Amino acid sequence: MNKSKVMNFFSDLGRSLLMPIAALAACGIVLGLSAALLKAQVQAAVPVLSVGILHFIITTINKVSGIVFTLIPVLFAISIAFGLAKEEKEIAAFAGFIGYYTFLVASACMINSGFMDFSALKISTILGVETMDMGAVAGMITGIVTAALHNKYHKVTFPVAVSFYGGKRFVALVVILAMTAVGLVAPLVWAPVSMGIDALGGLISAAGLAGVFCYGFLERLLIPTGLHHVLNGIFRTTAIGGVFQGVEGCLNIFLQFVDKVDLSELQPFTVFLGQGKMPMMMFGLPGAALAIYRTAPAEKKARVKALMIAGVAASVVSGITEPMEFSFMFVAPALFVFHAIMGGLSFMLMAAFKVIVGNTGGGLIDFFIWGVFQPGSHWYWIVIVGPFFFIAYYLVFKTYLTKKNLSIDVADEDSKEETESAGTATIGNKQLAQALEIIEGLGGKDNIKVVNNCLTRLRVDVKDMSAVDEPRLKKTGAMGFVHSSDVHIQVIYGPKVEGIAANVREALKKETKSAPKQAEFSAPITGNVIPMEQVPDPAFSQKMMGDGFAIEPTEGVVQSPVDGIVEVVFPTGHAVGLRSDDGSEILIHLGIDTVELNGKGFEVSVKQGDRVKSGDVLVKVDLDYVKSAGKKTVSPVIFTSGEKITLLKKGMVSRGEKSVIRIEKA
């Protein structure tokens, strides 16, 4: 595996981890607000909160939002499988859950086997199964294995007789087998692995403020690669971020115990959470924004002001910093290194002053809910330290930008107007017009393989990176670009990227909507067309193998109805399976119960693997012999790949005649 593939993998993994972590952060806000309202001090000040239906509602919300944090492993299994899957992501997500549950049961079987003494392992009841508790690591392993198997096998094909079990149906089967093996092996190897993880967590804890500084520094420095999500996920959900009363991960610990123990007991774990970002996000970056605006050329000031206001709002309110960071990251890399150092200092100072403000956001929302509203959080240190960060950022940014005569690059307004108007008549609104322009900037529809996104980035796999037009993308509002490999680009749009990604995917569908959805199909046999429901065999009439139609032949020549490949030829010659060039799987079954003729009366002209054109002869049938043997000659034509078939013509048709059926893809 080369370096670019490794970077791609970890970048995608980070994006996948972000999905459940973001959901947990949102639930954390609800949990924090409800926990604050249940505090004795708050209820003493507002007595109505402690009685009646209002108290019941707050308590219920608190319990419901809190239970989510016990589901992190299964959420990881599902979201990583979904995030790493290249196509048909929903199938991978479903398999991720099946795989995780299989892992739990298989591990329980090994633990209860009596083969070894597993008493040293942590045993918990997870999703109703008493088994080994590996925490979030089990979910990560399951998600990665599931995604790898899904990407490899979700298009696998089998012979027609068992084709039902191919493709996406096979994914669940192979995941069950693989995770059974992983689950059986895991108890044998987890004890030393968990000891190593615990030891690493102990080293980080023993490093004290220096360890916290390194975490904060790396958390910022990895922003351009997207790998900060991996770093955050590991600290927040595994023993590397700490262990408290059997719960692993600083975020897990904080959210599960914030309303159960004295807040001071959680201080060693919040040092890696949102509190460390707050001086830098709420004060430092606004100082940088002011310096960037003050040093901008007069002709750019208005546009820079708009960009800085949007970036500061995202940073201060919700803790999303990338719109600000990418505005200067590539223009002045030295300033980004300064920013990363200040990030480490921000984390370190909050730890030194014993601040206890958890969750992940780092903006005003978390500051109030987890700081101001939580007695004993020492939130005031953020306000005391913050102004010094504002001054430091302002002075350093202003001095550097002035000395180097640098200014932030902002797209011209007239360019934006052109972008907004381009394609509007074709697609119908500005959002989709922008999406179409983004597609062109990415090298066109044919250059795009996969479009995903995280909180702030459009993540795109492309065929040819040289076809990407970055100046054109900048005119659509892109703030910066990250090339994690020679086939993967991250385009930074900020918090609005969710809608942009949806519009791009919708525009890609619209562009391909005019493409034909059905293969050119012609009648394979001359004879009388009848609906499948009238075939005198329940296996066909009940469409157990798929939808289709049948022909009562009047001549014994059978030809290929499509261009494609011969997938299977039955040894008895009574049936031939084809795969058309558009992926349809077609089984032509000549007669009913004709397998009993052992090949007599059938002259096969093709073999498995042959390429055929529409009209090529497949089989010649001696209809008189078939009838004399007491067999019906009605010949079903079945689409085993799941298409819906509508008859357009009944009565007599000739070989090669078109417009006999309408094929609707599944």
Side-chain angles (χ1 to χ4, degrees):
M1 182 178 287
N2 60 38
K3 181 180 177 181
S4 65
K5 287 185 177 180
V6 171
M7 289 292 292
N8 256 356
F9 168 77
F10 281 106
S11 179
D12 290 343
L13 178 63
R15 173 175 50 84
S16 303
L17 290 173
L18 181 62
M19 290 189 285
I21 292 295
L24 293 175
C27 290
I29 292 173
V30 178
L31 177 65
L33 186 58
S34 60
L37 294 177
L38 291 174
K39 293 282 186 182
Q41 302 95 317
V42 176
Q43 294 192 348
V46 188
V48 71
L49 297 174
S50 62
V51 295
I53 188 67
L54 184 57
H55 182 266
F56 170 77
I57 291 172
I58 296 171
T59 302
T60 301
I61 291 173
N62 181 263
K63 297 297 182 184
V64 170
S65 57
I67 197 65
V68 176
F69 304 100
T70 66
L71 301 175
I72 286 179
V74 69
L75 294 179
F76 274 9
I78 294 169
S79 65
I80 291 175
F82 181 91
L84 296 182
K86 299 300 183 184
E87 298 175 337
E88 297 189 291
K89 290 175 174 287
E90 67 282 1
I91 303 300
F94 174 69
F97 176 79
I98 293 176
Y100 180 68
Y101 204 85
T102 300
F103 173 87
L104 297 178
V105 174
S107 296
C109 291
M110 176 57 74
I111 291 168
N112 295 323
S113 66
F115 294 155
M116 290 177 59
D117 180 8
F118 295 106
S119 58
L121 297 175
K122 178 185 176 183
I123 307 299
S124 303
T125 300
I126 306 172
L127 298 182
V129 181
E130 189 173 2
T131 187
M132 176 181 64
D133 188 350
M134 288 174 58
V137 176
M140 293 180 188
I141 293 172
T142 301
I144 292 169
V145 171
T146 299
L149 294 172
H150 171 84
N151 289 335
K152 184 174 183 179
Y153 292 114
H154 78 284
K155 288 185 177 179
V156 69
T157 58
F158 295 135
V160 175
V162 290
S163 63
F164 176 82
Y165 299 102
K168 57 190 178 185
R169 299 179 185 90
F170 184 67
V171 172
L173 298 177
V174 72
V175 166
I176 289 172
L177 293 174
M179 292 313 300
T180 297
V182 174
L184 292 173
V185 172
L188 305 176
V189 301
W190 180 241
V193 172
S194 63
M195 288 175 61
I197 294 174
D198 290 343
L200 181 57
L203 286 174
I204 293 171
S205 178
L209 295 179
V212 176
F213 174 85
C214 290
Y215 171 81
F217 174 71
L218 288 174
E219 201 264 352
R220 288 296 97 189
L221 198 64
L222 291 173
I223 286 281
T225 66
L227 299 184
H228 61 296
H229 295 314
V230 177
L231 179 72
N232 287 335
I234 290 172
F235 272 79
R236 291 168 182 172
T237 62
T238 75
I240 291 177
V243 180
F244 184 75
Q245 296 186 18
V247 176
E248 299 177 349
C250 56
L251 181 63
N252 291 345
I253 293 166
F254 178 76
L255 293 174
Q256 289 190 46
F257 290 100
V258 66
D259 56 350
K260 297 181 178 64
V261 301
D262 188 270
L263 204 59
S264 61
E265 294 188 54
L266 302 180
Q267 194 274 332
F269 312 108
T270 63
V271 297
F272 301 117
L273 294 176
Q275 66 181 45
K277 304 176 183 179
M278 289 177 182
M280 173 263 294
M281 288 182 174
M282 293 167 52
F283 295 90
L285 286 176
L290 180 60
I292 290 171
Y293 169 71
R294 294 285 298 274
T295 57
E299 66 274 12
K300 284 188 176 182
K301 276 191 182 293
R303 299 193 297 276
V304 170
K305 180 180 179 180
L307 178 63
M308 291 299 103
I309 289 175
V312 167
S315 177
V316 172
V317 176
S318 58
I320 295 175
T321 59
E322 286 169 298
M324 270 297 303
E325 289 164 333
F326 277 87
S327 70
F328 63 82
M329 182 185 298
F330 301 110
V331 174
L335 289 179
F336 185 74
V337 174
F338 164 78
H339 172 57
I341 293 171
M342 293 299 288
L345 189 62
S346 182
F347 272 88
M348 187 181 75
L349 288 175
M350 294 302 97
F353 292 130
K354 306 296 183 183
V355 176
I356 313 170
V357 181
N359 213 23
T360 63
L364 277 176
I365 295 174
D366 280 349
F367 172 70
F368 279 103
I369 290 178
W370 293 110
V372 177
F373 296 163
Q374 302 292 334
S377 66
H378 303 159
W379 58 269
Y380 47 84
W381 279 110
I382 297 169
V383 178
I384 294 172
V385 171
F388 292 98
F389 271 71
F390 181 94
I391 294 169
Y393 269 79
Y394 176 77
L395 292 177
V396 170
F397 270 68
K398 185 178 180 183
T399 301
Y400 186 86
L401 293 173
T402 302
K403 183 177 179 180
K404 297 291 184 178
N405 195 26
L406 295 173
S407 64
I408 300 305
D409 196 19
V410 183
D412 293 333
E413 292 297 329
D414 56 350
S415 296
K416 288 187 176 182
E417 289 173 6
E418 289 174 10
T419 299
E420 287 180 348
S421 62
T424 302
T426 303
I427 301 184
N429 60 60
K430 290 182 179 180
Q431 291 76 21
L432 288 179
Q434 179 198 39
L436 188 59
E437 187 69 9
I438 291 171
I439 291 170
E440 292 305 314
L442 290 167
K445 173 177 67 72
D446 293 337
N447 194 46
I448 298 172
K449 294 195 288 187
V450 181
V451 176
N452 287 305
N453 68 278
C454 61
L455 282 179
T456 57
R457 310 176 189 207
L458 192 68
R459 295 171 176 246
V460 187
D461 290 339
V462 297
K463 297 176 183 176
D464 180 8
M465 190 64 71
S466 65
V468 176
D469 186 347
E470 292 186 3
R472 190 169 187 173
L473 289 171
K474 278 195 172 184
K475 292 178 182 179
T476 68
M479 303 170 186
F481 308 91
V482 175
H483 299 269
S484 56
S485 78
D486 54 2
V487 292
H488 182 79
I489 184 172
Q490 300 172 20
V491 188
I492 316 302
Y493 281 104
K496 60 186 178 182
V497 73
E498 188 79 32
I500 290 174
N503 291 336
V504 168
R505 287 190 283 265
E506 181 65 22
L508 286 170
K509 290 179 184 177
K510 286 180 179 293
E511 278 205 310
T512 58
K513 190 171 285 186
S514 60
K517 289 191 174 182
Q518 69 179 65
E520 188 72 28
F521 185 92
S522 59
I525 312 169
T526 297
N528 188 44
V529 174
I530 61 174
M532 186 68 88
E533 292 82 359
Q534 295 179 15
V535 175
D537 185 311
F540 298 114
S541 63
Q542 294 178 22
K543 302 181 181 179
M544 294 180 182
M545 297 179 66
D547 201 357
F549 66 103
I551 296 178
E552 178 71 57
T554 56
E555 69 172 37
V557 179
V558 183
Q559 69 181 38
S560 176
V562 294
D563 296 344
I565 301 293
V566 178
E567 287 277 294
V568 63
V569 178
F570 283 73
T572 52
H574 75 288
V576 177
L578 306 171
R579 174 181 286 275
S580 70
D581 286 345
D582 77 335
S584 295
E585 296 172 357
I586 305 163
L587 176 66
I588 303 174
H589 195 287
L590 305 173
I592 305 299
D593 294 330
T594 47
V595 65
E596 298 172 1
L597 299 179
N598 293 317
K600 294 181 180 178
F602 298 95
E603 180 184 336
V604 181
S605 303
V606 294
K607 63 182 183 300
Q608 184 174 345
D610 282 354
R611 175 155 190 85
V612 292
K613 292 286 188 180
S614 179
D616 289 351
V617 175
L618 302 175
V619 185
K620 292 182 179 179
V621 187
D622 187 338
L623 297 177
D624 292 334
Y625 175 79
V626 172
K627 292 175 183 177
S628 67
K631 306 300 180 185
K632 294 183 172 59
T633 59
V634 174
S635 299
V637 180
I638 311 114
F639 286 75
T640 59
S641 43
E643 290 83 351
K644 185 179 184 303
I645 304 304
T646 303
L647 277 177
L648 301 178
K649 182 174 182 179
K650 295 182 181 179
M652 288 297 298
V653 296
S654 301
R655 273 189 297 119
E657 184 175 339
K658 303 187 188 312
S659 302
V660 176
I661 60 172
R662 181 173 66 245
I663 307 168
E664 297 176 33
K665 290 289 187 180

